[in-house]
Amino acid sequence: MKLRPRALVLALVLFTQGCSRGREATASDHLSWFEDEAQERGLSFQLHSGHQERFHFPEIMCGGGALFDMDSDGDLDAYLVQADDLTRAQDQRRGNQLFENSGQGEFRDISPGSGAQDKGYGMGVAVGDCDQDGDPDLYVTNVGENTLLANQGQGQFLDRSDHSRTKDASWSVSTAFFDFDLDGDLDLFVTNYIYWTLADDMVCQGPLHGFDYCSPKTYNAPAPDTLYRNEGDGVFEDVSRQVGLRTAFGNGLGVVVADFDLDGWPDVFVANDGTMNQLWMNQKGAAFEDEAMARGVAVDDDGRAKAGMGVCVCDLDDDGDEELLVVNLEGESDSYYRNDGDHFSDRTPVVKLARPSRGFTRFGVGLHDFDHDGYMDLYQANGRVVHPPKIVEADPFAEVNLLLRGGPGPRFEAVRPRDGTALPRAATSRAAVFGDVDGDGAIDILVVNRDSPSELLINTVPRRGNSIRLRLQEEVGRASLGAILRGRAGERAIMRTLRSAYSYCAASEAVIHLGLGERTTLDEVEIEWPGGDLETFGSLKAGTTHVLVRGSGQRQE
Amino acid sequence: MRIPSAVPWPGIGLVLVVGCGAGAPQPPLPDRLDQVSEPVAELVQEAAEAVRTAPGDAQAWARLAQVYEANLLTSYAETCYRELLALEPESAQWWHRLAVVQAATGAHREALQSMRRSLDLLAYPPSYWKLGTWLLEDGELEAARAVFEEATRKSPRYPGGWAGLARVHLQSDRPEEAIRAIQTVLRSQPDPYARQLLGAAYRQSGRTEAPEAQAAWDTSREPSWPDPWQAQCQSHVAESPLRRARRLQAAGRPEEAVEVLEAVAAGGPDAVRALSILADVHYKEGDTARALAAFERILELEPRNTWTWINISRIHQNAGDLPRAIETLDRAIRLHPDYGTLHATKGQLLFATGQYEAAAQSLHSALDRDDRNVETRTLLGQSLNALGRWEEARGVLLALLDETYPPPQALLALAQAHLQLGELEQAQTHLQRAASLGRVDAQSMDDLRRELEEALAVAGSR
């Protein structure tokens, strides 16, 4: 792919500056990996935190979004969650925004009249076809009651919160659709942060300044998470207590679903902010048991609970199970938990993530192979939650995001420029949402920023390797969330799970995307569908998106 | 001077120092000291003045450097430590502190060099811990191991060397060696950090059921090993007026505390917190009227401050004026009808005054808004018991058994409900469990035990 002319100009300017400072270009330096094209492509969205004089806690935590194919036309549409003024009546707030993709990665705001303009003080969103009509629905988390928006097709949504019985009134944050009891429909997990109302809001003081945001520990009021079981028709029942979720909870922010022990049942990891994490191991759909401590993911390698925000998983060492990566507060490194089968080992220093991550407060996170060299790279969306101990004129919470190039091992190394764009921009970033927006086969990133425009980072990595994309679908047409792909790329055994919910407050494109380097095929492709059915699909060619539908492969016993 | 957008102060400080040219070095001083909190600004000005008076005095530079470092103005601290090292180039302490502030400002490579320089001059044990930890975070396991091993050789009684070695072992998949290293630490002192590290090693070794494996904390426990240089630096932390007020209160000097608090309460970001402490000071001095007045001043600033309403109610309650206590809560509930804590607090008050029916209603209201509060559920069960609604009470209390730690009072109340419903075996079971947990009223326990024995005797005679 050719560099766009503008990207080239910017990159050359930067390269020149780098030389003038005496820095030598290294093999790890790209001119740039991404270019922000949000404005040019019509994705004009600014998250308004509502901050004025008083520091209301949710203002510093909000910022969510989704990339999903709303109208089944094959391209990615965008949904962005708005917050706005907490003290204002709900009907007077700005609503969430829905953007339709023209097919070329150009967007048009179709919010008015779409029914998708929820006006709660928004946090995050999950995408899943919970009523099994073939269209992906939206579940929006708010400070206060959440909203389920049923997709009616043609860009129309209907608020089915009452009907679905999913109006969790807590301060909900990240959320995920998944089929925990393997009955064929999508259930819903909702992380809740703390027990908070406007009346309880506290004021804290920064190290040098006056008012500042408080920590969740100031409130000491962790809220339990919620599990809704789908009764089959988009109506849910809160089964949190019944399945054991009330036995342990913390200040929940991030959530990811994965079959960590490969027993065929999806487990849930919850990243808690300053309290021990939970690892809910699925007891064959009947209950969950928190095994975070026993399996080594409740705390870090020297026994400390970190401030967990975003989370993602991936099989980074090609051993057939998924590792866990949790991103944390400034001063705390990331937590990279290597999956060793019956337990996890915190190996953050070994994969070289301890040093580069420590200087930032990370929220959105994703492991993707942006340059298609066969190794997962890492993107982190950053922004402080309290004032820094120095005076800055601009947004005091703003930080530059981080891009780290992945290699075998795995090992990560920081990329320069630091966020992969030619002109790194500091902002208070929250959700990072991943997907191929422009249909060129590479992963782009939508970054939601507090009180400044969202960024649409179009992948401009030059001389990318080959890649392949796989859509795994149930027979009814919905994404088969939780389906596992296994295959071979030369000597490497690949394992990936189809998911949309990871990062922070985000719903990313539900597709498996693999960089293949020089290879032109992915071989010995096998899909393990939720419930355990195995099908093989042989070798698949790189350079295209394959749609694998349950029942269309060769069934294995 | 106009500061360019998004450029922090450090750059300016550097310019000021460099700008002094060949003359005596001048102290770096932020030209926007007004934006720093007053206690910090006072300390900085005082220490900077000492440097200006005697620019060749290492002690003056050391104080200014530590004032900056202790109050998080690390870039200025770095400049000062460099000046200090020009005066005392062989000081291990200042190389060590320079390394620490370099690490804090992200100058990682320089920090490693400075700390190695410090160790060349003096084998100060905490220098090993810091250097080894930084190397470990870089994933340089062998280099970290060498540093920690040297620490164990040169200072075998210093826990940091052993703990550091344990961390290297953990990263290298050698949990048993890690356990042995940590046990060396624990033989010399019962250190919380070492225990949580031991927990990690036990978990990694697969011994998850061992009591040691449970050692982990929600609150970060940093090593508490002695570090006199760090302590010396921390002694320069500026004391905020609120902290000073608390110290004065604790020292039995409430009048002075009030004076400090009134000054803060006159305006500014800490006014509400100052008034809250002021109310506490007055209340503890027995001056209920002035405590209430301080709370009323908070409500003038923040009419919806829930905890202030609850505190006012508690003052009335403690004064025996229960109607006013309840009336206060009712006013707060009118402002925040959806805030469960207010309903729960009202329920507690009504229960304490024997108004069980009303208490149950309030407690139900609280649970409608937040059903996870174990204490509220227990109290509801007790209220229903008091009303003789045994089956309802049993239902509420039985649900508490799903909790990880059901309170003993709930078990006692459940035993009572079972007893009244003639379910003697269950009553006995819960009574025994409550007794084993302790922390219940002995008289209630004895009364219930006696009642149960009588019931069992009657049942046996049949």
Side-chain angles (χ1 to χ4, degrees), chain A residues 266-279:
Chain A
D267 313 304
V268 181
F269 176 83
V270 179
N272 289 323
D273 182 1
T275 49
M276 292 188 209
N277 301 320
Q278 265 85 52
L279 178 58

Side-chain angles (χ1 to χ4, degrees), chain A residues 1 64 68 102 104 140 157 214 226 231 247 263 271 279 328 339 389 395 409 414 417 431 464 489 504 519 540 546:
Chain A
M1 181 186 166
F68 71 120
S102 67
Q104 312 299 317
V140 181
F157 288 81
C214 295
T226 306
E231 294 180 356
T247 57
D263 67 348
L279 178 58
N328 304 299
N339 191 339
D395 178 357
R464 286 193 297 256
Y504 174 80
R519 303 201 167 273
L540 300 175
H546 299 268

Side-chain angles (χ1 to χ4, degrees), chain B residues 334-412:
Chain B
R334 279 197 292 278
L335 281 171
H336 306 293
D338 290 329
Y339 189 38
T341 305
L342 289 170
H343 294 276
T345 309
K346 186 179 171 189
Q348 289 164 12
L349 203 52
L350 291 164
F351 182 85
T353 55
Q355 301 175 66
Y356 300 119
E357 186 66 53
Q361 277 178 20
S362 284
L363 294 166
H364 269 303
S365 297
L367 291 171
D368 285 346
R369 287 156 179 86
D370 175 17
D371 69 350
R372 71 192 164 96
N373 190 315
V374 170
E375 280 178 21
T376 304
R377 288 157 64 194
T378 302
L379 199 60
L380 176 60
Q382 290 172 321
S383 302
L384 294 168
N385 270 355
L387 291 165
R389 289 152 61 177
W390 309 110
E391 287 187 20
E392 273 182 77
R394 181 182 57 187
V396 169
L397 295 163
L398 271 174
L400 282 165
L401 298 182
D402 294 339
E403 302 292 337
T404 311
Y405 303 108
Q409 295 87 340
L411 296 168
L412 198 64

Side-chain angles (χ1 to χ4, degrees), chain A residues 54 205 304 347 358 393, chain B residues 137 170 173 222 270 302:
Chain A
R54 177 138 184 167
Q205 192 170 25
R304 288 180 277 195
R347 289 292 174 271
R358 183 182 277 278
E393 291 282 313
Chain B
E137 287 190 351
L170 282 175
D173 294 320
E222 297 294 339
D270 281 336
E302 295 183 359

